[in-house]
Amino acid sequence: HERQSKAEATMATVSLLRSVRPGRRLHHSWLSRQLSTTWQPGQKQEEDGATIGDFFTSLGADAELSPEQVTRYTALKQRVAPPQEVMNTCWQQVCDAVSFATESIVSPSLPSVCEVRMSDLKSNDGQLTAAQAKLARASGVVVLREAVPPQQALGWKAQVKEYIQDNRGNVSGFPEDDPQVYELYWSRPQVEARQHQNVLQASTALNRLWHGRDDIIDVDFPVTYVDRLRIRNPGDSQFALGPHIDGGSLERWEDDKYRSVYTDILNGNWDRYNAFDANNRVHARMDLYDAPNACSLFRTFQGWLSLSECAPGEGSLQVIPMLREATAYFILRPFTNGVPAHLFPGASPGKGQDINDTWHAPLMHAVTSIPDVFPGDMVFWHCDTIHAVDGVHNGTDDASVFFIPAAPMTVPNAVYLSEQRNHFLKGYAPPDFPASQCESQFETRGTDDMLTPQGQAALGLIKPSAMTHNMSNMYHHCNLALGFATPWD
């Protein structure tokens, strides 16, 4: 691959720390220096001034392949293709399942996504009910009502607009001439929202839909992945983000560990595929090309907090709420008849996974808008859920959100947190995003002195601890990455 992977670098860091002579005192400054030479996620930030528009072909990003890539992807397809007898047996089954699920989705009498009230979540010990969890797993989408009080959400929007206005000459976004998505990460409202107790509890509830071994994942420990904000104005048609999937594109076939997530699908047992098994996904490499905007942290669900009232057609979210069927379709599509030998439809190196009419037409029939959302609501979608935004904002008010996903504690996530934490303290853009130091000069940006203990923990600023004995080894390695442990602890 073009660069050393983060998974390999994580193990290199652990090996480095284990090599320290017993008896040597390990200072945090020494650890920070060693981490900086072992793994530098900031290296992906070479494209200073880049925006979200550079990652998605539906927003104009280039997706042309070089001759070397055509040769390489042709060989890759030959190497990972399911046996022809598997394709003969299961492809039509998948197509039929997509058609059947589509009929249910377009039926107005059946809910296609899971809706939960924050108050109900709290009264159920911070978990979805069995019925809610079943629908959430089937659709891959959860709408959480009143995650925070509406007036608080509206207050955050007013404050972040003031933050933008105060720093207008130094703020970039997409599109450049009329930003709808801002390259801003550290405003006080964003920091406050991410650490809000309800937001962290919501993240935990979504993480708990997943399962994995205790020595690789703690679904009860939410971590903060810092992302942008959107303020989409009425009439906008430039932020027309087409159907796509987060978490890489070619990586799903190219990376061995990532591909193993979909083993059941590739073996023809697509109906047994479990989209909520974290055991292989935790160590999957989602950004082999180190492209700015490519997420390298394992998010169980992408998500956002609404700061506006927004109905379908008013700049809101669209989804394809059939997680297993849609995943099986796009994973198997490269190996069907009529697809060029080198092509993984919709996948481009260093870009998101597109879903389009040319190669995924049956899925496009199932695109549906989420229900009306209101200030303080949150919306979450599984990391493999196909989603898009309205092509045109036909409403009369802005459609504004803070992007806040759900993510658990894992060793690779702790490695990312250690670097993200440093960027926070300096006011730099987070490691996965285009290079920017502009917020370091903003007088009213969020700082560590405003964090609650829960907010500090989620950002990796205080030492996390294992809840069970089985987790102790994982947390030892997490604390090595975060600088809170020595190799001989």
Side-chain angles (χ1 to χ4, degrees):
H1 299 300
E2 295 179 5
R3 295 191 182 182
Q4 181 187 34
S5 74
K6 291 178 177 57
E8 292 169 340
T10 300
M11 298 312 300
T13 299
V14 173
S15 297
L16 171 75
L17 293 170
R18 285 176 172 167
S19 71
V20 180
R21 294 191 309 273
R24 176 177 176 179
R25 187 176 181 183
L26 192 72
H27 292 282
H28 185 269
S29 59
W30 180 89
L31 174 65
S32 297
R33 289 196 300 274
Q34 303 312 309
L35 287 173
S36 68
T37 59
T38 306
W39 178 57
Q40 297 185 37
Q43 288 175 350
K44 70 160 54 179
Q45 297 192 324
E46 292 173 352
E47 296 183 26
D48 194 1
T51 70
I52 192 173
D54 298 289
F55 189 66
F56 295 104
T57 58
S58 60
L59 298 180
D62 180 28
E64 185 175 351
L65 298 179
S66 68
E68 183 276 331
Q69 288 171 328
V70 169
T71 300
R72 182 151 61 92
Y73 298 145
T74 299
L76 173 64
K77 281 186 68 171
Q78 293 173 347
R79 179 168 62 87
V80 305
Q84 189 57 51
E85 57 268 24
V86 169
M87 292 299 298
N88 292 341
T89 300
C90 75
W91 178 243
Q92 188 58 51
Q93 294 175 359
V94 170
C95 292
D96 291 344
V98 167
S99 178
F100 181 79
T102 300
E103 292 179 8
S104 298
I105 290 167
V106 300
S107 171
S109 61
L110 297 173
S112 59
V113 303
C114 176
E115 294 190 57
V116 186
R117 303 200 75 80
M118 189 71 209
S119 57
D120 293 337
L121 191 69
K122 286 177 174 289
S123 64
N124 194 44
D125 195 28
Q127 301 184 76
L128 276 67
T129 66
Q132 290 167 344
K134 182 178 180 180
L135 181 54
R137 290 190 176 103
S139 67
V141 184
V142 176
V143 177
L144 181 61
R145 300 297 187 186
E146 296 184 0
V148 301
Q151 290 305 313
Q152 185 164 31
L154 290 170
W156 283 335
K157 181 171 71 170
Q159 292 171 40
V160 84
K161 284 184 173 182
E162 184 176 348
Y163 184 73
I164 293 169
Q165 188 59 42
D166 288 346
N167 301 286
R168 176 63 67 177
N170 298 303
V171 175
S172 62
F174 176 87
E176 183 178 359
D177 60 340
D178 183 23
Q180 311 293 308
V181 179
Y182 289 89
E183 299 296 321
L184 293 173
Y185 309 89
W186 305 119
S187 70
R188 293 183 69 87
Q190 287 170 285
V191 175
E192 288 175 359
R194 294 178 194 127
Q195 72 170 353
H196 192 284
Q197 62 178 355
N198 288 1
V199 172
L200 293 174
Q201 187 172 14
S203 179
T204 301
L206 274 294
N207 291 340
R208 286 173 174 172
L209 291 173
W210 288 69
H211 65 88
R213 300 194 313 272
D214 284 350
D215 60 338
I216 66 167
I217 186 172
D218 184 357
V219 296
D220 292 321
F221 193 115
V223 302
T224 293
Y225 181 77
V226 175
D227 206 330
R228 305 175 174 91
L229 65 92
R230 161 166 60 85
I231 302 178
R232 193 178 185 194
N233 296 316
D236 173 67
S237 61
Q238 295 191 74
F239 186 59
L241 186 55
H244 68 281
I245 308 163
D246 296 324
S249 59
L250 284 158
E251 288 87 347
R252 286 182 168 86
W253 297 273
E254 192 170 6
D255 176 62
D256 292 343
K257 187 65 75 170
Y258 209 166
R259 189 173 63 255
S260 69
V261 169
Y262 310 105
T263 294
D264 279 333
I265 295 174
L266 292 166
N267 285 346
N269 301 313
W270 69 272
D271 54 341
R272 294 194 298 195
Y273 167 64
N274 182 356
F276 294 86
D277 183 346
N279 287 311
N280 287 319
R281 200 183 289 262
V282 162
H283 295 291
R285 291 176 288 180
M286 299 171 287
D287 63 336
L288 290 175
Y289 299 88
D290 277 339
N293 298 297
C295 179
S296 61
L297 179 138
F298 168 45
R299 299 172 293 184
T300 57
F301 285 79
Q302 175 58 298
W304 47 246
L305 169 69
S306 179
L307 309 177
S308 306
E309 181 175 348
C310 191
E314 297 180 355
S316 191
L317 183 72
Q318 298 177 322
V319 295
I320 298 180
M322 51 163 132
L323 183 55
R324 177 183 287 150
E325 298 88 346
T327 302
Y329 189 98
F330 86 79
I331 287 293
L332 293 174
R333 188 66 174 99
F335 312 108
T336 58
N337 295 332
V339 179
H342 70 280
L343 188 65
F344 290 82
S348 305
K351 301 291 186 289
Q353 171 66 48
D354 287 335
I355 302 296
N356 55 57
D357 286 311
T358 301
W359 298 110
H360 312 99
L363 295 180
M364 300 295 284
H365 298 315
V367 174
T368 187
S369 296
I370 63 168
D372 293 12
V373 292
F374 304 90
D377 290 346
M378 295 193 75
V379 180
F380 295 95
W381 56 99
H382 183 281
C383 50
D384 280 344
T385 294
I386 301 168
H387 58 288
V389 298
D390 290 324
V392 179
H393 179 356
N394 291 313
T396 58
D397 194 8
D398 60 68
S400 301
V401 304
F402 289 161
F403 291 102
I404 305 177
M409 180 62 79
T410 69
V411 174
N413 282 4
V415 174
Y416 182 85
L417 282 181
S418 69
E419 187 70 15
Q420 179 182 257
R421 172 187 61 193
N422 296 338
H423 286 225
F424 167 54
L425 296 174
K426 296 174 182 178
Y428 296 173
D432 276 344
F433 295 87
S436 174
Q437 299 181 11
C438 67
E439 284 187 273
S440 66
Q441 306 302 314
F442 294 178
E443 294 182 359
T444 56
R445 70 176 171 88
T447 52
D448 60 313
D449 59 0
M450 64 179 288
L451 295 176
T452 64
Q454 293 79 12
Q456 291 176 319
L459 276 170
L461 284 159
I462 59 177
K463 182 179 180 178
S465 58
M467 297 299 293
T468 69
H469 176 72
N470 291 342
M471 293 181 179
S472 58
N473 187 57
M474 184 195 82
Y475 271 97
H476 176 63
H477 288 91
C478 288
N479 282 313
L480 282 173
L482 290 167
F484 297 126
T486 64
W488 49 89
D489 282 347

